[in-house]
Amino acid sequence: MRKLSWLLLLDLDGTLWDHLDISSLTPPFRRVGEDVIEDSMGERVRLFRYMVNLAVWARDMGAGVVSLSWNDREKALAALRAFGVEEVFDWHVIEPHPWKGKALSRFLRESGLDIPPERMIYFDDRDIHLDDIYSHVGRVRYVRSQVDCSSLESCKSLVEKLLGEASISP
């Protein structure tokens, strides 16, 4: 495995794609456009391609890329496969409960990764999980998806700024 200097933690619903609850959909998913899939009932989900490109860039800059999502794991993975982006991630921390901090803490312990919280950049469209993450992992760097940045260049600049504040070069 490559040497990692930081982690990019990406929520899925509302962050990687525009749907707010992939678990409510009914697989199988099928691709109906370059960045669009639909479930068996015809409900469509659009991928935010710039977020995928951010993950690819982060890996090139020494990051481990983790999906961190409150979802039905099998449905979320099926959607990632349908989009063709499952392999962009190094790990998937996808569990059907809202305690992302507990899940992330367990993942870090079990994986043996020794990366301090200030070297973790967490993208999510909502901040409702921050207290749990802060209490179990520490003060990760939080970015509100689609608000704090909304393009590849603006997100890269923000990540570089956050890592620079932590005296870390990507």
Side-chain angles (χ1 to χ4, degrees):
M1 170 148 226
R2 68 193 196 283
K3 180 156 173 45
L4 304 177
S5 60
W6 59 288
L7 289 179
L8 179 65
L9 310 168
L10 294 178
D11 175 48
L12 298 176
D13 294 337
T15 297
L16 190 69
W17 49 61
D18 66 352
H19 201 279
L20 299 179
D21 185 12
I22 205 79
S23 296
S24 70
L25 301 185
T26 308
F29 298 105
R30 68 182 185 98
R31 202 172 200 160
V32 295
E34 183 177 344
D35 290 329
V36 181
I37 61 171
E38 70 179 20
D39 75 347
S40 63
M41 307 302 287
E43 183 138 3
R44 292 191 171 199
V45 180
R46 179 170 301 281
L47 184 72
F48 295 121
R49 177 58 60 180
Y50 77 92
M51 291 301 294
V52 173
N53 294 338
L54 179 69
V56 171
W57 170 82
R59 288 184 78 184
D60 289 345
M61 296 293 111
V65 180
V66 181
S67 65
L68 181 59
S69 183
W70 168 14
N71 263 308
D72 175 297
R73 182 178 177 86
E74 294 312 311
K75 288 183 181 184
L77 291 175
L80 288 167
R81 280 191 296 276
F83 279 122
V85 299
E86 184 180 22
E87 303 305 316
V88 169
F89 295 89
D90 295 298
W91 300 279
H92 297 285
V93 180
I94 302 171
E95 298 185 5
H97 59 74
W99 303 287
K100 288 185 179 184
K102 276 185 179 176
L104 180 58
S105 176
R106 183 175 52 255
F107 160 73
L108 292 168
R109 194 173 49 256
E110 291 173 359
S111 68
L113 290 175
D114 186 24
I115 297 180
E118 63 271 10
R119 292 185 182 194
M120 297 179 197
I121 310 293
Y122 168 54
F123 277 76
D124 198 327
D125 60 309
R126 302 181 302 165
D127 64 4
I128 64 170
H129 304 287
L130 284 179
D131 288 342
D132 186 56
I133 291 172
Y134 290 166
S135 70
H136 286 90
V137 176
R139 305 271 313 169
V140 303
R141 307 299 180 129
Y142 171 67
V143 177
R144 186 156 184 189
S145 304
Q146 321 311 321
V147 174
D148 295 340
C149 64
S150 57
S151 70
L152 176 59
E153 289 307 315
S154 66
C155 289
K156 282 171 40 177
S157 293
L158 182 54
V159 167
E160 287 172 334
K161 178 180 181 266
L162 292 170
L163 291 174
E165 289 172 359
S167 300
I168 308 158
S169 58

